[in-house]
Amino acid sequence: MARFWFCVAGAGCFLALLVLHSRIRDSPVLREFVFQVSWRTEEILYRLDVGWPKHSEYFTGATFCVAVDSLNRLVYVAQRGENIQKVLVFTEDGYFLRAWNYTVDTPHGMFAASTLHEQSVWITDVGSGSYGHTIKKYSSFGDLVQVLGTPGEKGSGLNPLQFDNPAELYVEDTGDIYIVDGDGGLNNRLIKLSQDFMVLWLHGENGTGPAKFSIPHSVTVDSAGRVWVADRGNKRIQVFDKDTGEWLGAWNNCFTEEGPSSVRFTPDEKYLVIAQLNLSRLLFVAAPPVGSIGYCSVISSIQLADQVLPHLLDVSGKTGAIYVAEIGARQVQKYVPLNSYFSSFHS
């Protein structure tokens, strides 16, 4: 008799599961619940380094961007505010080195492009003053080396080159430059420049179709020759061939709640690290194999506190550490890979 009632109970549980499965498929609320549960059971890849930097009192403004010079183990931070040093330089270990402010108006994005012979950092400036609407190259000590764009004048021209609220850039070791120009300004375009600053190709139209943009906010390049653009206003990432500019595809299935504000690769290029500003969330998304774009697949995530607002981030090419510029928290935080993952890309 006991065996009979055990079988009846088992059959009842099976029928209940079938009903629940049917309800989940038909109910957006239950689907959202299951999604949230699966989100919490993802693999944990990174942890917060609570000791970075050694002294946080140097963050005196809204920290908009960060760039890692992996070769020289330096971290650059750019912040906005009145009567403050706009650019801070730390070591990757968290020690403050220096600060400077020369010709920096309103920084938005930055990129460290050092070689064995030169330490440099590029900054996009969206200010309305005499230094605004430009992209500028500096030495590590703040000496102005190069200016792209027409200082103080916004525009869409290519000869001479003009910008309007340039959001970010990525500089390859060859010197080629990829620029996303359009943080809410006149332009919504992706531009590739040669090392002598000639336009090689561009996509420059506002819209929702392929190779069109609405607030292109961040850009990075992988070793397979693909350019990845955080098309924030369109809630997607678009991908292009770096040599021809050909559109290769787009991801939007991971960004139904909010578009991506920043995109970078881990050193092994196994994951894309993506920031979502207003959700205060970092995503780790599986990178597709060469020759395929496929669909966006979230492997892991880090949920930050409300109103932290991660704006732009960068990743150390040597250690894999992630540095996140947080507008709301007015700081940069460092996340380090767990030992298991760190050893995987150093083996």
Side-chain angles (χ1 to χ4, degrees):
M1 181 63 69
R3 181 178 298 178
F4 170 79
W5 287 112
F6 178 80
C7 292
V8 170
C13 289
F14 178 72
L15 289 173
L17 286 173
L18 287 178
V19 171
L20 179 61
H21 178 263
S22 176
R23 292 290 181 86
I24 286 174
R25 289 196 308 169
D26 297 333
S27 168
V29 174
L30 287 173
R31 281 201 305 267
E32 178 67 14
F33 172 77
V34 172
F35 175 78
Q36 293 295 341
V37 169
S38 67
W39 199 280
R40 295 190 191 101
T41 58
E42 293 162 358
E43 183 180 357
I44 299 175
L45 301 176
Y46 278 77
R47 64 170 178 83
L48 177 65
D49 182 350
V50 295
W52 199 98
K54 302 297 183 183
H55 302 283
S56 59
E57 61 267 22
Y58 295 102
F59 298 137
T60 54
T63 47
F64 266 73
C65 51
V66 60
V68 183
D69 175 355
S70 302
L71 187 64
N72 298 290
R73 296 184 58 81
L74 299 177
V75 180
Y76 297 89
V77 176
Q79 57 184 356
R80 298 184 191 177
E82 297 296 328
N83 303 314
I84 65 170
Q85 295 293 315
K86 301 289 179 63
V87 181
L88 311 174
V89 187
F90 297 87
T91 68
E92 279 210 66
D93 294 328
Y95 294 98
F96 175 76
L97 294 179
R98 53 188 170 270
W100 40 271
N101 197 32
Y102 177 59
T103 72
V104 181
D105 186 348
T106 309
H108 186 278
M110 64 195 316
F111 188 88
S114 292
T115 67
L116 291 173
H117 309 290
E118 177 187 53
Q119 296 181 26
S120 61
V121 60
W122 292 82
I123 298 176
T124 68
D125 197 325
V126 299
S128 57
S130 57
Y131 302 121
H133 303 296
T134 56
I135 300 175
K136 290 166 285 194
K137 179 182 179 182
Y138 296 89
S139 75
S140 181
F141 290 88
D143 301 316
L144 183 61
V145 178
Q146 179 72 46
V147 178
L148 302 180
T150 306
E153 295 183 20
K154 61 184 178 182
S156 303
L158 298 177
N159 188 20
L161 193 59
Q162 292 179 306
F163 304 108
D164 184 13
N165 291 0
E168 199 191 49
L169 75 161
Y170 185 95
V171 183
E172 287 194 282
D173 292 341
T174 61
D176 290 347
I177 303 172
Y178 303 82
I179 299 167
V180 279
D181 177 29
D183 183 41
L186 294 169
N187 306 322
N188 285 276
R189 59 187 184 178
L190 167 67
I191 306 172
K192 180 179 182 179
L193 302 180
S194 65
Q195 58 184 337
D196 55 356
F197 313 122
M198 301 297 293
V199 177
L200 297 178
W201 54 259
L202 69 85
H203 293 288
E205 189 173 348
N206 183 24
T208 60
K212 297 180 181 180
F213 301 101
S214 174
I215 311 180
H217 199 262
S218 182
V219 59
T220 194
V221 181
D222 66 20
S223 61
R226 298 176 294 191
V227 183
W228 300 75
V229 178
D231 187 7
R232 182 171 144 190
N234 284 325
K235 296 184 178 180
R236 64 184 178 182
I237 287 179
Q238 296 200 69
V239 190
F240 302 85
D241 182 278
K242 77 170 189 177
D243 294 322
T244 65
E246 176 189 359
W247 184 81
L248 300 178
W251 283 351
N252 55 24
N253 58 296
C254 286
F255 311 112
T256 55
E257 295 177 90
E258 184 188 7
S261 64
S262 187
V263 58
R264 287 288 186 269
F265 279 92
T266 53
D268 58 358
E269 296 193 349
K270 188 175 180 180
Y271 305 110
L272 288 91
V273 187
I274 298 166
Q276 291 179 294
L277 178 71
N278 294 307
L279 292 176
S280 292
R281 186 163 65 195
L282 306 180
L283 303 180
F284 296 84
V285 177
V290 177
S292 171
I293 299 302
Y295 294 93
C296 179
S297 176
V298 175
I299 304 302
S300 183
S301 64
I302 298 175
Q303 182 62 58
L304 309 177
D306 287 345
Q307 300 304 311
V308 164
L309 306 180
H311 185 243
L312 290 169
L313 60 84
D314 204 5
V315 181
S316 170
K318 286 189 176 180
T319 67
I322 301 169
Y323 298 84
V324 184
E326 301 170 348
I327 298 176
R330 298 168 72 92
Q331 65 183 1
V332 169
Q333 292 204 99
K334 177 182 181 180
Y335 293 85
V336 294
L338 298 180
N339 290 335
S340 57
Y341 176 51
F342 180 83
S343 60
S344 72
F345 61 75
H346 281 78
S347 58

